[in-house]
Structures are given as C-alpha cells and as structure tokens.
Amino acid sequence: GVAPMTGMNEADRLELTRGILSMLDDWDIAAKDQLVLLGMADAPAREVNRLRDSRPLPDEPDVMQRVEHLIAIADALRTTYPFSKRMGKLWMHKANRKFRQRTPVATMVEDGIVGLVSVRSYLDCSYSWDLSGSKG
C-alpha cells in the first residue's frame, strides 16, 4: 500500500527525491542511467546533482510511476535479502536468464517502464500475480 505519489508537497517530494537517488547510488547506478530510470533521459547528466541539492523530481505521472516501481523493487529486494544490502546490489548487476541474459539494471535502463515492471514482477510475486489477474 504505497500512497499515491502525485500531489505531494515540495518538502515531501524533495525528501522522496533524495531517498530515491541514494537508493540508486546504493545500487551503483551511473548518474546518466539514474536519469533514464526516472524518465528524465533528456536531462543533462548534471541534473542529478541539482536533484541531490535542492530540486525535487518533476511531479509528472510518468516520473512518479517510475519512482513507485523503483521503491517497490527496493522493498522486494529487502524482502528477498533481508540481511544483506550488498546481495541486493549484486543481484541488480548480475546477468539473469529471465531478462535475456541482461542484468536487472540494464533491463530497466534499456526497456523503460516495461523493464521496471519486469524486474518488479520478477522480485515481487504478488505484484505479477495482480498483473495477470487484472488482465482477465
């Protein structure tokens, strides 16, 4: 049960932005790729520093949807590897048969929102079950 991300106030969005970026740092994701994952591929790489300092992520449905997936992925990794942050990071950078031998990071960067959903579904069985159930 994640609260909807849109309509947050500035302070909340700033906090969310910092949290997301530090999470992506923990996963060893390059600045340029962080922007891609957040749906800001067109932004210059230095935009990441602005986001870190004082600028919240844009309050756009696409960006917020991606943030929601990324948070769910982080939660699922914590559930999968409750005692090791490092294992989660290793998993993110390990080629996976499920993603055509790509790493989860590459899958998310290359496939956009579809990649985020694939990685999330892989980690979070209840989420993929919801997906298949609602297509009925």
Side-chain angles (χ1 to χ4, degrees), residues 4-69:
M5 301 278 175
T6 45
M8 294 169 83
N9 68 34
E10 184 92 352
D12 287 345
R13 281 192 16 243
L14 270 172
E15 197 178 324
L16 175 74
T17 302
R18 293 203 178 115
I20 287 289
L21 291 174
S22 83
M23 185 178 94
L24 296 175
D25 286 342
D26 284 346
W27 291 342
D28 269 348
I29 294 177
K32 193 80 192 104
D33 287 342
Q34 294 189 12
L35 289 170
V36 173
L37 289 179
L38 293 165
M40 300 171 66
D42 299 336
R46 65 177 178 278
E47 182 66 23
V48 169
N49 299 327
R50 290 202 195 110
L51 290 168
R52 279 180 212 293
D53 289 342
S54 58
R55 183 179 293 185
L57 286 165
D59 195 2
E60 291 160 13
D62 178 55
V63 174
M64 289 302 147
Q65 196 187 359
R66 287 160 172 273
V67 164
E68 213 170 300
H69 286 308

Side-chain angles (χ1 to χ4, degrees), residues 8-134:
M8 294 169 83
N9 68 34
E10 184 92 352
D12 287 345
R13 281 192 16 243
L14 270 172
E15 197 178 324
L16 175 74
T17 302
R18 293 203 178 115
I20 287 289
L21 291 174
S22 83
M23 185 178 94
L24 296 175
D25 286 342
D26 284 346
W27 291 342
D28 269 348
I29 294 177
K32 193 80 192 104
D33 287 342
Q34 294 189 12
L35 289 170
V36 173
L37 289 179
L38 293 165
M40 300 171 66
D42 299 336
R46 65 177 178 278
E47 182 66 23
V48 169
N49 299 327
R50 290 202 195 110
L51 290 168
R52 279 180 212 293
D53 289 342
S54 58
R55 183 179 293 185
L57 286 165
D59 195 2
E60 291 160 13
D62 178 55
V63 174
M64 289 302 147
Q65 196 187 359
R66 287 160 172 273
V67 164
E68 213 170 300
H69 286 308
L70 286 165
I71 290 172
I73 289 165
D75 285 344
L77 276 176
R78 271 196 295 273
T79 309
T80 310
Y81 303 108
F83 307 112
S84 172
K85 226 174 168 174
R86 200 176 67 93
M87 287 299 293
K89 179 170 93 178
L90 289 172
W91 184 84
M92 292 298 266
H93 291 278
K94 196 166 174 266
N96 190 315
R97 215 177 55 218
K98 180 92 167 89
F99 308 127
R100 305 200 308 275
Q101 292 305 332
R102 292 176 303 168
T103 66
V105 171
T107 303
M108 297 190 302
V109 169
E110 292 163 14
D111 297 357
I113 203 104
V114 177
L116 288 167
V117 170
S118 315
V119 172
R120 179 179 182 176
S121 305
Y122 180 87
L123 283 166
D124 183 353
C125 308
S126 59
Y127 179 71
S128 52
W129 184 82
D130 283 347
L131 272 183
S132 54
S134 59

